[in-house]
């Protein structure tokens, strides 16, 4: 399946670049396409489309190498954010809205939260200096344009790489190198991230993957599953729904978000898998990852009306999305030594058949095995500020 | 007068787009031209010029479909802002300058203030959440790039349309759809706005048209007129000048702005008209609107020295430009139900002859009729915080 | 040496403009080249390279006509900032990081601090209004794109000019006009700045040239010299190092910055010269200026590890980089009358031979003559808040 004449997209190319389909796999021509948006709030955004022949994945270098959306045989893999356009980071003021300005640009399928901090805005009393103490919602990485972006075909893999510098003088110097791999003919893609501390001293790292999905994977009666030892409601609001924590409502007027924090279980190979499947069980969206790299997992239930963004988040993370000062107290903020790299990866798989969904469910059941998860009915000490 | 071969400008076209003159009306070729600024603080701004043959109007999609300036037979219809270049929204930090950063980009003939809020910066104690409570001067709409922009010729109308999304997750979702119409051969243009609440619940709306004019319409002895029942000075500073509220000084060193709030009177058709005319009475700038849509009218007198921006504002609005929390208490903040659209429109007419000016003056006098306006000499309760 | 066919670069040209080498001087072709960065955090930045044949100088119109770096016969004249890319001002939020957001874009060889203010963030209690009271680190000028940029050859000079508007409604209206001159075949370039107050009343001005140099001019044992009457440590930290104020450490873990404030001495022609030379004495970076224009001089010693930005700043200035309110009390904030222009200039010379370095040292010694400088061992009253 390897192609004889790999071609590539590079950020040093001219302004609007594209590549002819690199081969024909099935259904549609496989290949890589680069585009630059020219108007609206997204003007200047670069988009790279990888198409396996079956699965298309759109990467947004300009928004921190986030993944805007995907599409499998015409099935949209996305959510409908009230932020209806891709918004260029230049128009997103993270400080605005009392530190919640990040919400003004949030519309992706995969959006990284970090790197120096994530979680809600606060003044971090444990920060080294005023350069680091101002914490805005979910951090800076999703709103920094990538550099050294390149997409190419390696054997039978479509690959897109880029680097993002979250760096300042007298402050953290974190560089994210990310690589997206989509096999030709594949219906799953892998994201491999390496965050390196380029500074001379240790620096802090928080990384959460805000992976957001709506219809047709989310609907009334949809379910989320992940092998887990414990699950904890974040706050009293989440505690209200603890009896139905793995199932979803349809779009519900007046619904306020609920978040659940999981301790995942890994298989013998160190991997685990989270699945969102629709009520009918014929649409599945799954995220596979290694709890050794990403020891926390969060479900964000946000089944508000369609117009407001009917969505759920499946979120593997190094920490819980609490205030950074709280996470530091719990020992969940990584201290990354000078020159060291923190590696994390995840794999997103899309299923459009009941058989495919059952296969993932079987795998989850096998990892869960006979372990009965502890379901905490109230917020727990050390898990969130609500837990005391 | 209709053209046989309408052509169009669309935001999905290539980066710099233009259209050959679509016809020749008189004086100069009529048509539509699109440009993108490539350097300076305006780099990336799209400008659309509509030319009727007599009147040119420049629309700025990138600055919220504001109208930068117009020109009638070589007469500039504009003001000379200290902000001498068009500034891209990406360089305007609304939070900066203690919430007055909006002033760093303010230079247009027509600039919308809104949509979720306008007026001075405050922390809005009546807001639903921290997402909405941070109020910066005159709101966000003027600094959001429009999308779905299109200009075209419809029969004998030059038309330019665009949409602006003032939208966020967990917050207001207001979409402005605006349409500018300039008849071929015309010396007046119409702006029709429709603001739709795309969210699932009711949301608040404040909309004020900051329409700003300098020479040659404004000069020493220039006058402003509008049919009105009442006029109220905003504050003690405005009260100082109440005896001469309809007339203007020349450029005056040390002048501090004065604002007057009017209750306009409509004619039988529901329309009213405000006129700014120069001392000689041969230059007229008028704004026609419907008080049913825009029940407030404000004059902003700012006859400071030329270098600082010698200007006056004629401002039809849904509310008065007081702090939003004050306006809410007075019942002047619109609550727009889910899916509903608020429509407002105005028409700007330029006159370069004494006859034209007299025609508008006659119309104003006719609407005023025998109604003697109440001229309040001091700020009034409910009209502004100064009124108690 | 004058060229017969001068060509020019203008900001009204098309998006990516360049000029063929205008002549061949020596070593490499002399000429002017214009580029626009198309991706990463610098997307949209214009860069102008002047090449004398020996010395290359890169000017960044989009970052306030700062000078990114230079290169003499392949020797880099620069520092390695942790901000590894040129960052477009649109991505720099001066308010962020508790008013220290300026650091997120700081990587140039020559970066202006000003114009309305420089120094650390504060709320300036002496400001005229809320429009001016919010002071962020080192001011706005380095993050405003220049307009009216032009590069051309005048006789045997390579010239680049541009204007930057630091201007707002109801606030300061300062326009910087800057001109860079590099003689064909030269190893030194001159920068001439004119700041004009375009407003109708007097306005305040603070201007500091943050000129930043690393290897190979800075190394262990490198020295800085300038003819001076007095030198004062800024704070207790600088006082710790007063015995070695003119010499530099190598990269030092845990090093915290030290700043020294000088009263320079001028020669009979009114000029003075500051030199940074390496330990071996065969690399010299010097800044010549007029204390009548720029009466203060600061050395910023920042010999932290390479990874964090091993650098020193040589900083001629109109004021000391203290809080603006403090500087105003000391009478060091310029009040620029309406219509008046403040002129300042400096000349940067690069030496890559011991002879060249000795020539500059001799000149400094000659200006210093028999004057023994007063070396204050502690912060002094009136020089910095630490001095009381």
């Amino acid at each position: 399946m390897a192609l004889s004449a790999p071609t590539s997209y590079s950020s040093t190319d001219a302004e609007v670049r594209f590549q002819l389909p690199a081969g024909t796999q099935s259904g549609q021509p496989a290949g890589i396409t680069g585009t630059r948006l020219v108007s609206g709030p997204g003007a200047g955004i670069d988009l790279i489309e990888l198409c396996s022949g079956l699965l298309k994945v759109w990467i947004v270098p300009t928004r921190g190498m986030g993944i805007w959306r995907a599409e499998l045989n015409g099935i949209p893999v996305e959510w409908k954010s009230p932020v209806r356009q891709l918004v260029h980071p230049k128009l997103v003021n993270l400080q605005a809205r009392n530190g919640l300005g990040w919400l003004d640009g949030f519309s992706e399928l995969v959006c990284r939260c970090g790197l120096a901090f994530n979680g809600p805005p606060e003044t971090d009393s444990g920060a080294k200096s005023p350069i680091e103490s101002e914490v805005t919602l979910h951090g800076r990485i999703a709103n920094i344009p990538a550099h050294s972006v390149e997409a190419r075909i390696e054997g039978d893999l479509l690959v897109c790489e880029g680097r993002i510098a979250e760096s300042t003088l007298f402050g953290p110097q974190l560089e994210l190198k990310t690589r997206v791999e989509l096999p030709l003919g594949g219906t799953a893609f892998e994201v491999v991230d390496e965050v390196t501390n380029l500074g001379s001293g240790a620096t802090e790292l928080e990384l959460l993957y805000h992976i957001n999905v709506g219809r047709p994977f989310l609907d009334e009666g949809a379910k989320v599953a992940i092998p887990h030892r414990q699950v904890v409601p974040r706050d009293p609001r989440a505690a209200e729904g603890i009896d139905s924590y793995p199932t979803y409502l349809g779009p519900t007027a007046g619904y306020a978000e609920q978040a659940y924090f999981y301790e995942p279980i890994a298989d013998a190979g160190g991997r685990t898998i989270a699945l969102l499947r629709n009520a009918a069980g014929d649409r599945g969206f799954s995220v596979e990852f290694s709890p050794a790299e990403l020891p926390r997992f969060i479900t964000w239930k946000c089944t508000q009306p369609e117009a407001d963004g009917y969505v759920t988040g499946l979120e593997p993370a190094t920490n819980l999305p609490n205030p950074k000062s709280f996470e530091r107290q719990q020992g969940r903020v990584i201290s990354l030594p000078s020159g060291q790299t923190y590696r994390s990866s995840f794999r997103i798989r899309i299923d459009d058949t009941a058989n495919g969904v059952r296969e993932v469910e079987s795998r989850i059941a096998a990892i869960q095995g006979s372990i009965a998860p502890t379901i905490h009915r109230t917020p727990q000490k050390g898990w969130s500020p609500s837990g005391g």
Side-chain angles (χ1 to χ4, degrees), chain A:
Chain A
M1 213 184 315
L3 298 168
S4 54
T7 50
S8 70
Y9 163 105
S10 157
S11 58
T12 58
D13 289 353
E15 190 130 328
V16 176
R17 300 134 281 189
F18 60 92
Q19 187 180 36
L20 293 178
T24 298
Q25 171 56 22
S26 75
Q28 50 195 321
I32 299 167
T33 310
T35 327
R36 174 163 291 188
L37 306 186
V38 295
S39 66
I45 283 183
D46 288 327
L47 263 182
I48 297 177
E49 179 197 302
L50 307 182
C51 177
S52 78
L54 296 171
L55 181 65
K56 286 184 183 174
V57 177
W58 283 269
I59 300 157
V60 197
T62 313
R63 287 188 53 81
M65 294 290 286
I67 296 176
W68 177 38
R69 58 189 298 276
E71 202 178 287
L72 177 67
N73 294 326
I75 300 170
V77 184
E78 63 182 14
W79 64 296
K80 301 287 192 193
S81 172
V83 179
R84 291 171 178 76
Q85 282 87 29
L86 279 171
V87 178
H88 195 290
K90 69 194 178 190
L91 297 172
V92 177
N93 182 342
L94 299 175
Q95 276 199 320
R97 300 190 181 279
N98 294 298
L100 300 168
W102 183 88
L103 295 169
D104 291 344
F106 178 47
S107 68
E108 294 99 333
L109 174 67
V110 179
C111 183
R112 285 176 193 82
C113 301
L115 299 175
F117 51 83
N118 60 40
E122 67 159 343
T123 299
D124 177 3
S125 56
K128 284 187 198 165
S129 81
I131 295 173
E132 302 190 43
S133 67
E134 186 190 289
V135 169
T136 55
L137 179 66
H138 284 336
R140 306 162 63 95
I141 190 70
N143 286 283
I144 304 177
H147 64 94
S148 307
V149 176
E150 205 177 310
R152 60 178 174 275
I153 298 171
E154 296 182 0
D156 60 358
L157 286 181
L158 302 166
V159 172
C160 180
E161 293 180 331
R163 290 166 189 258
I164 300 130
E166 189 182 302
S167 201
T168 197
L169 183 64
F170 301 135
Q173 296 186 51
L174 292 164
E175 186 189 64
L176 168 65
K177 182 182 169 192
T178 181
R179 175 178 167 99
V180 182
E181 293 181 356
L182 171 60
L184 285 168
T187 61
F189 61 95
E190 179 94 11
V191 176
V192 183
D193 283 359
E194 293 180 341
V195 177
T196 300
N197 175 7
L198 299 180
S200 76
T203 197
E204 293 182 328
L205 167 66
E206 292 193 317
L207 176 56
L208 178 149
Y209 297 97
H210 218 301
I211 304 177
N212 314 293
V213 192
R215 293 186 185 276
F217 304 91
L218 180 67
D219 59 9
E220 188 180 348
K223 287 184 184 164
V224 66
I226 181 171
H228 60 296
R229 271 201 186 78
Q230 302 184 70
V231 61
V232 180
R234 181 182 61 183
D235 49 27
R237 166 64 188 143
E240 290 174 16
I242 191 66
D243 286 331
S244 54
Y245 76 93
T247 62
Y248 289 91
L249 300 176
T252 305
Y255 184 91
E257 66 172 29
Q258 296 177 311
Y260 299 93
F261 298 163
Y262 291 72
E263 181 189 346
I265 303 172
D267 65 15
R271 300 284 276 182
T272 194
I273 187 162
L275 169 72
L276 172 74
R277 46 148 282 193
N278 66 349
D282 58 0
R283 297 282 182 269
F285 177 94
S286 52
V287 183
E288 187 184 320
F289 62 98
S290 297
E293 293 171 348
L294 299 165
R296 323 291 160 194
F297 182 78
I298 302 101
T299 54
W300 172 55
K301 298 175 81 171
C302 198
T303 52
Q304 49 193 356
E306 302 274 5
D308 302 334
Y310 178 64
V311 64
T312 188
L314 311 186
E315 308 173 1
T318 64
N319 63 293
L320 293 170
N322 295 309
K324 185 178 178 182
S325 56
F326 180 86
E327 288 298 287
R328 189 185 292 111
Q329 286 161 12
Q330 309 308 321
R332 284 191 294 260
V333 175
I334 293 168
S335 178
L336 192 61
S338 171
Q340 293 298 297
T341 296
Y342 195 90
R343 184 192 186 279
S344 54
S345 66
F346 61 92
R347 185 170 176 266
I348 288 180
R349 164 179 164 164
I350 316 299
D351 284 290
D352 61 351
T353 67
N355 277 344
V357 171
R358 276 194 295 267
E359 186 188 311
V360 178
E361 288 179 319
S362 302
R363 196 168 148 209
I364 291 172
I367 302 175
Q368 186 74 51
S370 60
I371 302 172
T374 304
I375 300 167
H376 297 279
R377 302 192 60 81
T378 55
Q380 295 297 300
K381 187 166 162 56
W383 287 72
S384 64
S386 290

